Amino acid sequence: MAQTFSVPQLGEGVDAVDVVTVLVEVGETVEVGQPVMEVETDKASVEVPSTVAGVIEKIHIDVGDSLTAGDPVLTIEEGEAAQNETAEPEDSKSAPATAPKEVPEEGAPPEEEAAASPSQTAAVRSLARPKSAQPGANVPASPTVRRFAREVGIDITQVTGTGPEGRLTLDDVKDHARHLLEGPRPTADTLPAPPLPDFSKWGETEEEAMSKVRRLTAERMDRAWRTIPQVTHNDSADVTELDRLRKRFKGTVEEAGGKLTVTAILVKIAASALRRFPEFNSSIDTQRQLVIRKKFVNVGVAVDTPRGLLVPVIKDADTKNVKSIAIELNDLATRARERKLMPEEMQGATFSISNLGGIGGTGFSPIVNWPEVAILGVSRGQVQASWNGEGFEPRTMLPLSLTYDHRLIDGAQAARFLRWVAEALEEPMVLVLEG
Ligand code: CAO
């Protein structure tokens, strides 16, 4: 059977209330005591709970409506469960019959209580929040001013009141809005993250504080993702010959305390490419509208550690040979995993390399490590059947992914840069001749 839930008596001397928020939707199942709307009087705001349980068939009110006691709020189809729920709560039976109690604003005299049904009383008593729990609740302002602020999207806690005892006037809100419009616009950077849902609704959860490395990584990635329009360009290099050379010279480098891996070789090749394509060794100064070209080449290498991602830097990589880079990389990666890196060993990179090929994968999009403008991602080199013009032959192909800041670098430049890197891997003589 359909029932109408109407506006209860909200307090003596209160003729009308303004609807601030409608908290339910048509089709929703409400329970007795569940807040269905938030209303505001001159002195207070309260959430009004339903005294009827069931499925909402119709909503008679809207935000901004002015309501008086007895006005219809909802038409509710009472279900079987609803019938049970409308039964008076045990503890309300002994409660004195009082009206839904407004929570007075600071300094406002308490309202006299008026008669209302016991179920209304119990529900409202438990649900009416103190005004101080709501944002802006303690700010002295009339409902009209509050409504206007809400409509134009102004947070009244940020407005300075010029009325008696700091009360907000309409002009205060308008001035504040004008001031905001004249000031800098909010950017993706300043937008607050939306609140998380209550995951416990779906199952058990546990919480763990983020480590410092994780927090810093999150901050850096977040900033880079929001502020850099980035594109990933993919290519691959035939490293069959390089692999052969690598195995041949592996022992010599190992004796010297290094590991002749593809990462060490790539650091050298990337450093040479950065000399040849200085745009990739730059930073953008958006404040001063400048491009800063660095005359030094420092290559950061992403290292996977038990603490998370660390990026030690091989300084002046363009001036070092592959052997000394291999030794330095081995040392930096080992100390990164043992928590022995000094902060300055992770600073000053002009370009980064992230090699996930030791783990696996056919390709990925690394994120530019701001304030750099490009990063090279490397996936797993694999033997593939390659057409040589007469037949297929097995070749080891290394997938390369270059993510670049499209504000400074165009797609064609990125394609040329990565092709040069690929050719240097394919034909190590390129390094000797041009690197
Ligand atoms: N394709 C195929 N094999 C590869 C490879 C690739 N792209 N890269 C490395 N390998 C092989 C190496 O040759 C080595 O094999 P051998 O032991 O037979 O020689 C093995 O994988 C392990 O290499 P490694 O990891 O010890 O050495 P590396 O110099 O290649 O890499 C480092 C060093 C620090 C880059 C790597 O250890 C690492 O931490 N990688 C993860 C980087 C990362 O997390 N990136 C993501 C950042 S964004 O979230």
Side-chain angles (χ1 to χ4, degrees):
M1 196 183 73
Q3 278 231 25
T4 303
F5 167 62
S6 307
V7 178
Q9 294 291 337
L10 286 167
E12 209 175 276
V14 180
D15 298 323
V17 290
D18 290 343
V19 180
V20 179
T21 323
V22 179
L23 301 166
V24 286
E25 286 174 359
V26 170
E28 193 178 322
T29 303
V30 280
E31 294 170 5
V32 170
Q34 179 180 332
V36 294
M37 63 176 174
E38 190 180 357
V39 296
E40 207 172 47
T41 72
D42 245 342
K43 300 184 182 68
S45 71
V46 288
E47 283 179 346
V48 180
S50 176
T51 53
V52 182
V55 179
I56 298 173
E57 267 188 3
K58 189 166 182 193
I59 297 176
H60 301 273
I61 50 149
D62 208 345
V63 172
D65 284 356
S66 183
L67 306 176
T68 53
D71 281 348
V73 178
L74 305 171
T75 301
I76 297 173
E77 179 63 45
E78 283 186 300
E80 205 182 306
Q83 300 287 351
N84 296 337
E85 283 179 43
T86 43
E88 230 171 66
E90 203 50 40
D91 66 349
S92 72
K93 287 180 184 155
S94 57
T98 55
K101 194 169 186 300
E102 287 184 343
V103 183
E105 256 184 6
E106 256 176 23
E111 290 292 326
E112 287 297 314
E113 292 175 344
S117 79
S119 58
Q120 276 177 342
T121 308
V124 172
R125 239 203 344 263
S126 63
L127 286 159
R129 287 180 289 152
K131 282 211 75 177
S132 58
Q134 302 166 14
N138 289 328
V139 176
S142 71
T144 315
V145 172
R146 284 173 193 277
R147 187 163 54 238
F148 175 73
R150 248 190 329 271
E151 280 167 8
V152 296
I154 296 293
D155 173 4
I156 56 169
T157 60
Q158 303 300 311
V159 185
T160 310
T162 58
E165 291 171 23
R167 201 168 175 80
L168 292 196
T169 65
L170 261 182
D171 280 344
D172 294 334
V173 179
K174 285 180 189 168
D175 283 349
H176 186 79
R178 210 170 293 124
H179 178 73
L180 284 183
L181 282 173
E182 284 161 4
R185 301 254 167 132
T187 62
D189 237 6
T190 56
L191 282 177
L196 286 173
D198 175 11
F199 298 113
S200 65
K201 279 195 287 192
W202 301 292
E204 203 185 326
T205 60
E206 65 173 26
E207 293 182 353
E208 184 193 337
M210 283 168 99
S211 70
K212 196 166 173 227
V213 171
R214 182 51 53 205
R215 270 187 283 131
L216 282 172
T217 305
E219 267 170 37
R220 291 186 70 88
M221 295 299 160
D222 188 43
R223 183 174 47 203
W225 187 256
R226 285 172 190 243
T227 58
I228 303 175
Q230 36 195 311
V231 179
T232 302
H233 179 84
N234 298 304
D235 204 334
S236 65
D238 182 339
V239 291
T240 316
E241 186 58 19
L242 187 81
D243 250 4
R244 201 180 56 74
L245 287 172
R246 203 168 60 80
K247 280 174 190 136
R248 194 169 141 203
F249 292 102
K250 208 170 149 185
T252 325
V253 178
E254 251 166 37
E255 277 166 26
K259 250 180 108 183
L260 187 56
T261 59
V262 73
T263 312
I265 297 166
L266 267 167
V267 169
K268 178 65 189 175
I269 292 177
S272 300
L274 292 168
R275 275 260 168 249
R276 205 177 163 78
F277 302 88
E279 226 61 6
F280 290 79
N281 201 46
S282 308
S283 286
I284 304 178
D285 185 336
T286 46
Q287 299 284 321
R288 296 187 298 151
Q289 304 269 293
L290 287 177
V291 175
I292 302 169
R293 287 202 189 88
K294 295 148 206 167
K295 305 287 180 194
F296 50 91
V297 176
N298 295 340
V299 179
V301 179
V303 178
D304 176 36
T305 80
R307 285 196 294 158
L309 173 68
L310 293 179
V311 189
V313 180
I314 307 224
K315 307 259 165 60
D316 301 314
D318 56 327
T319 65
K320 295 173 179 165
N321 61 31
V322 177
K323 189 172 167 183
S324 52
I325 289 173
I327 297 165
E328 193 174 334
L329 178 61
N330 196 31
D331 169 56
L332 288 170
T334 307
R335 286 194 292 116
R337 289 179 177 127
E338 291 171 352
R339 301 172 164 233
K340 289 184 182 155
L341 279 184
M342 300 303 286
E344 61 267 23
E345 290 179 297
M346 292 182 278
Q347 290 164 1
T350 58
F351 180 85
S352 292
I353 295 178
S354 174
N355 178 14
L356 286 170
I359 304 166
T362 54
F364 68 105
S365 305
I367 295 180
V368 170
N369 194 13
W370 181 91
E372 297 153 39
V373 291
I375 178 169
L376 178 64
V378 187
S379 299
R380 191 174 198 80
Q382 275 172 339
V383 178
Q384 292 175 9
S386 181
W387 181 253
N388 63 12
E390 289 173 2
F392 285 102
E393 60 174 325
R395 307 294 296 179
T396 306
M397 302 302 291
L398 187 70
L400 303 169
S401 309
L402 178 76
T403 302
Y404 58 93
D405 186 334
H406 209 342
R407 290 174 300 181
L408 185 63
I409 294 162
D410 295 329
Q413 288 172 291
R416 276 186 214 110
F417 179 93
L418 199 54
R419 202 74 297 276
W420 194 91
V421 169
E423 280 167 18
L425 284 162
E426 286 170 358
E427 179 47 84
M429 268 302 278
V430 170
L431 262 194
V432 180
L433 292 172
E434 299 178 28

